[in-house]
């Protein structure tokens, strides 16, 4: 079977946005739904409070997002809901009025597409909310509701709010606020398929699927893919699966997943035992214990061997998200932190931007925004005076490098160095060969990188970073400072032509 995945994703750099926390609009509106009491923007985030960020605010920041080099947006849920994160969906056909409603999404899509930017939305199709009309009808009418088969009801009466009594219905992770759909029911299945189709026709460019592994009905995701691709063959389907996603990445279901196994490996290698454990221990990934270069090389090779190359190129690679602590804090970083924290951010970002797949930046990470676990990882985007200019410049430089050199997007990946804390690999596409070197150790690394690539290298140039080197017959003798990295371009001729 030939696997086909969206071409645009292979050149994409995503910017993930939690809409309530990114930007408030400067536009005036007469909607009473927008004129409500909001939390102070600069105050620490809470589990239940609203900051008032909206889709028009995102539209107003598209210039900034493009200046980073990001050309695709991933928005966490935007549909009407009674919570700031909106994973408790009330109405799948209405954008939340606090976000500007359907018109704000229309405006954002039009503006993004005019700039050549793509937009994918978060599809929460495993569960709804107590306020979802069909479940609310069950709460009102009990066994007389015509929609009782849409959910898995065990006994009566239901207890949707009283934690001292059994809920008597299935919900995601036993959270009675999130009643789980009965996906075996044909009407439920068709309802979800039509939601996906509706918003694709509206103009979105794909779906990020929330906890799709919970939907175990045979053929469900195969049908979902068929119907999505029938409307837009280039639509992106990416699942939230934290572990080995091989069962879903067979070319018949998803184009990729949020690549948390890559996140684990990078954090274990570049942050290592400097990691703030309280920020990673409660989360569903495991970036511990630390990895040296051979350990990292083995982990990366396992990931590269796991999936078809077309799938590899459309994996969504990330260092942090709305479900994890932020990289700056995981690395011990805060304003005025020790240099190792900044080095961890730099090295991790270097590995992210040079790895096969689509990199994803979690809003604010590019300016050094900190944050622990939920809700602290969902802080409001800071004003410019609170940005870290070094971190911002780092992201701009590495994203630009990725766009300038197609080999960093789609080139073959070959490990050429794995010694102590020093790791190196070559990305090769056409006549481009780029060498990436990373030293995660606290000491400088002096060594030799043998570039036995079937070519004769006659010159090496530094594109980014700093490394001292000499080239002797396809062997790079180099000195790489502690906690540093570099990207080099190899100027070569084919041995067969010499």
């Amino acid at each position: 079977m030939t696997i086909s995945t969206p071409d645009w994703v292979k050149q994409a750099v995503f910017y993930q946005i939690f809409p309530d926390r990114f930007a408030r609009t400067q536009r005036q509106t007469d909607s009473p739904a927008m004129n409500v009491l909001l939390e102070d923007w600069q105050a620490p985030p809470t589990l239940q409070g609203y900051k008032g960020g909206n889709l028009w605010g995102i539209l107003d920041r598209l210039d900034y997002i493009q200046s980073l080099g990001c050309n695709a947006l991933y928005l966490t849920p935007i549909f009407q809901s009674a919570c700031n994160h909106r994973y408790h969906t009330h109405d799948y056909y209405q954008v939340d009025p606090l976000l500007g409603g359907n018109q704000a999404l229309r405006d954002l899509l039009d503006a993004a597409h005019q700039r050549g930017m793509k937009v994918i939305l978060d599809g929460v199709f495993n569960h709804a909310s107590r306020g979802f009309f069909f479940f609310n009808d069950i709460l009102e009418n009990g066994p007389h509701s015509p929609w009782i088969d849409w959910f898995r009801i065990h006994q009566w009466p239901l207890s949707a709010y009283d934690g001292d009594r059994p809920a008597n219905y299935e919900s995601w992770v036993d959270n009675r606020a999130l009643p789980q759909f009965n996906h075996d029911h044909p009407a439920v299945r068709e309802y979800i398929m039509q939601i996906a189709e509706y918003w694709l026709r509206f103009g979105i460019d794909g779906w990020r699927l929330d906890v799709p592994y919970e939907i175990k009905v045979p053929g469900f995701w195969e049908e979902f893919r068929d119907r999505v691709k029938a409307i837009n063959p280039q639509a992106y389907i990416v699942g939230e699966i934290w572990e080995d996603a091989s069962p879903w990445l067979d070319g018949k279901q998803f184009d990729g997943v949020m690549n948390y196994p890559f996140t684990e490996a990078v954090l274990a290698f570049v942050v290592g035992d400097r990691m703030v454990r309280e920020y990673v221990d409660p989360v569903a990934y495991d970036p511990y214990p630390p990895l040296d270069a051979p350990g990292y090389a083995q982990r990366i090779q396992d990931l590269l061997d796991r999936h078809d190359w077309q799938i590899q190129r459309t994996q969504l690679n990330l260092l942090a998200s709305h479900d994890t602590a932020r990289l700056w804090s995981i690395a011990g970083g805060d304003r005025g932190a020790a240099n190792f924290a900044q080095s961890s951010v730099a090295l991790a970002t270097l590995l992210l931007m040079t790895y096969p797949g689509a990199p994803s930046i979690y809003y604010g990470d590019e300016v050094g925004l900190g944050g622990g676990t939920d809700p602290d990882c969902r802080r409001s985007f800071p004003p410019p005076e609170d940005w870290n200019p070094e971190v911002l410049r780092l992201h701009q430089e590495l994203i630009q490098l990725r766009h300038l050199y197609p080999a960093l997007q789609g080139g073959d990946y070959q490990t050429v160095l794995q010694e102590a804390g020093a790791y190196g690999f070559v990305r090769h596409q056409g006549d481009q060969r780029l060498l990436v070197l990373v030293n995660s150790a606290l000491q400088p690394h002096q060594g030799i990188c043998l570039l036995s690539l079937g070519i004769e290298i006659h010159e090496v140039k530094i594109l980014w970073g700093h490394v001292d080197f000499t080239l002797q017959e396809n062997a790079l003798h180099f000195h790489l400072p502690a906690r540093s990295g570099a990207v080099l371009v190899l100027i070569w001729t084919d041995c067969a032509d010499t």
Side-chain angles (χ1 to χ4, degrees), residues 52-79:
N54 54 45
L55 301 189
W56 282 314
I58 298 172
L59 190 158
D60 292 341
R61 296 283 183 88
L62 289 180
D63 280 344
Y64 164 74
I65 295 170
Q66 277 200 305
S67 75
L68 292 174
C70 294
N71 53 12
L73 304 179
Y74 154 39
L75 308 183
T76 58
I78 64 171
F79 300 125

Side-chain angles (χ1 to χ4, degrees), residues 184-301:
D184 286 315
H185 189 31
V188 170
R189 183 169 177 150
E190 182 62 22
Y191 179 78
I192 293 172
M193 300 296 168
Q194 289 190 16
I195 293 166
E197 292 171 327
Y198 176 86
W199 291 108
L200 284 163
R201 292 191 180 100
F202 193 88
I204 71 167
D205 299 291
W207 288 103
R208 179 268 190 187
L209 303 171
D210 184 60
V211 296
Y213 50 87
E214 295 284 359
I215 301 177
K216 300 178 172 63
V217 177
F220 184 94
W221 291 121
E222 287 85 350
E223 180 182 354
F224 185 91
R225 181 184 183 86
D226 289 343
R227 294 178 65 162
V228 162
K229 299 292 186 176
I231 293 173
N232 179 3
Q234 287 291 305
Y236 186 33
I237 304 173
V238 57
E240 180 209 10
I241 297 175
W242 292 63
E243 299 177 348
D244 180 10
S246 296
W248 292 271
L249 296 178
D250 56 0
K252 300 177 183 178
Q253 299 173 83
F254 307 157
D255 297 310
V257 296
M258 299 181 77
N259 199 357
Y260 284 107
F262 169 76
T263 314
E264 292 177 341
V266 170
L267 296 183
F269 178 49
V270 303
V271 185
D273 57 11
R274 295 168 296 279
M275 198 174 304
V276 180
R277 293 292 299 274
E278 67 182 274
Y279 291 147
V280 297
D281 287 346
V283 186
Y285 64 178
D286 188 13
Y288 213 81
L291 293 173
D292 59 9
Y296 179 74
Q298 183 61 57
R299 188 81 66 87
I300 289 299
Q301 194 58 51

Side-chain angles (χ1 to χ4, degrees), residues 46 75 82 84 134-135 152 168 209 216 238 292 298 318 328 339 360 364 377 381 388 390 409 413 415 423 426 449 487:
T46 63
L75 308 183
N84 56 46
F134 305 111
F135 189 78
R152 298 185 185 276
N168 288 338
L209 303 171
K216 300 178 172 63
V238 57
D292 59 9
Q298 183 61 57
L318 67 162
W328 187 262
N339 287 336
S360 178
C377 57
F381 191 79
N388 184 309
E390 293 182 347
Q409 300 169 11
Y413 188 108
T415 297
Y423 176 72
V426 169
C449 185
V487 182

Side-chain angles (χ1 to χ4, degrees), residues 8 11-15 65-66 69-73 116-118 403:
W8 64 266
Q11 286 82 44
V13 177
F14 278 85
Y15 193 73
I65 295 170
Q66 277 200 305
C70 294
N71 53 12
L73 304 179
M117 301 174 74
K118 304 291 188 179
H403 287 314

